Amino acid sequence: MENALLCDDIYKILEDEIVSLKIRPGETLSENSLCKRFSVSRTPVRSVLQRLQQNRFVQIIPHKETIVTPIDLDIASQLIYQRVAVETMILRDFVKTCTPTDVARVRYAMQLLEEAAADVAEPEHFDINNFLSKDLEMHKIWFRATNKMFLWETLIRPQPDYSRFIRLDIMGAKNVPDVLSDHERMIEIIDSKDVDAIEGIMTHHLFGGVRRLGGQLFSEEYRDFFLQKNL
């Protein structure tokens, strides 16, 4: 049991580091280095690496090395498409049934998001984790209010393609003005109960990374992040 818990802890640390791009696509994970870092034998390290491979975060090349996988832009785009479809339906339900208290929660979440964006003018002080967390908390409100939390947990589960693509979009706080503007538009839609406008804002918002990065996705700066078949 203790060994299983240790493996879970190591897995979570490495998954977080890969998702946050602290460990970048193409980097090698050395068994020896991991054993030394976590003060464990090869057995739990190998178990963790196998689990990371099962979840497509790494590729194990037998008798050679373990490499962090590139982002598959095709898969990331499909997962964005899925989230647009699901969240459009959820927000429609929310708009039709939300109470004044629900709306107040959304407004407070927007306030917290704006506070998280306060350091946007100084990217070196900008807390990516805090901003992303506050962004997700606002979306979570309509999932909770419509009793769709299983769907929410499924959509935000760490994933090697979509999760890292989101981080790539937010690096350097480049997406902050767009994200704030999109959330302000969502509040306007909730206030006016304009359900016909929901799909448009969700498409614009969730595909924002593709729109913002645009041609940069194929530049030298980003090339190493992505699976080459996408480029």
Side-chain angles (χ1 to χ4, degrees):
M1 182 67 174
E2 183 178 351
N3 192 52
L5 290 174
L6 179 61
C7 286
D8 285 344
D9 290 342
I10 296 173
Y11 177 88
K12 187 64 169 65
I13 290 169
L14 293 177
E15 181 189 68
D16 285 346
E17 291 179 350
I18 292 172
V19 166
S20 67
L21 298 174
K22 290 179 181 177
I23 303 176
R24 297 197 172 197
E27 289 192 27
T28 299
L29 296 181
S30 161
E31 284 188 12
N32 289 335
S33 296
L34 293 174
C35 289
K36 183 176 180 180
R37 175 183 176 185
F38 295 108
S39 300
V40 295
S41 67
R42 288 182 179 272
T43 299
V45 165
R46 285 175 177 170
S47 176
V48 168
L49 292 177
Q50 288 167 0
R51 184 176 166 192
L52 286 168
Q53 178 171 248
Q54 289 170 357
N55 292 327
R56 297 189 303 104
F57 287 101
V58 305
Q59 178 185 6
I60 299 173
I61 302 174
H63 312 297
K64 190 175 181 182
E65 59 189 356
T66 298
I67 302 175
V68 177
T69 57
I71 299 169
D72 189 322
L73 186 56
D74 288 342
I75 292 177
S77 296
Q78 290 181 51
L79 291 171
I80 295 170
Y81 182 91
Q82 177 190 49
R83 186 172 167 189
V84 169
V86 172
E87 194 154 358
T88 294
M89 292 292 292
I90 299 295
L91 189 52
R92 281 175 181 164
D93 290 346
F94 177 80
V95 166
K96 292 174 183 177
T97 62
C98 61
T99 67
T101 302
D102 291 328
V103 177
R105 288 193 180 98
V106 174
R107 292 188 180 282
Y108 180 62
M110 182 68 198
Q111 178 184 328
L112 295 179
L113 183 63
E114 290 171 336
E115 290 173 1
D119 291 328
V120 66
E122 301 178 39
E124 65 274 13
H125 297 135
F126 179 70
D127 188 336
I128 290 178
N129 291 330
N130 185 42
F131 184 76
L132 182 57
S133 173
K134 295 301 184 293
D135 182 339
L136 292 174
E137 281 299 318
M138 185 168 170
H139 290 256
K140 184 177 179 180
I141 291 170
W142 38 83
F143 280 81
R144 182 187 292 119
T146 56
N147 195 30
K148 297 294 187 299
M149 286 303 294
F150 176 80
L151 283 176
W152 174 249
E153 296 298 335
T154 300
L155 289 174
I156 66 166
R157 187 175 297 141
Q159 201 276 343
D161 305 298
Y162 179 44
S163 299
R164 289 188 291 172
F165 183 77
I166 291 173
R167 291 296 184 129
L168 193 61
D169 177 38
I170 202 174
M171 284 171 62
K174 296 175 183 177
N175 72 346
V176 170
D178 272 2
V179 170
L180 292 177
S181 176
D182 286 348
H183 282 82
E184 288 168 357
R185 178 61 181 141
M186 291 175 204
I187 291 177
E188 291 174 0
I189 288 170
I190 291 169
D191 287 341
S192 64
K193 296 189 178 296
D194 185 4
V195 294
D196 291 336
I198 292 174
E199 183 175 354
I201 187 58
M202 281 302 161
T203 301
H204 185 271
H205 181 58
L206 296 173
F207 274 104
V210 177
R211 186 182 67 255
R212 281 183 291 269
L213 293 172
Q216 296 180 66
L217 293 172
F218 311 104
S219 69
E220 290 297 325
E221 180 181 1
Y222 292 101
R223 182 175 299 276
D224 291 340
F225 285 96
F226 293 98
L227 187 65
Q228 289 303 301
K229 74 170 188 177
N230 299 147
L231 304 181

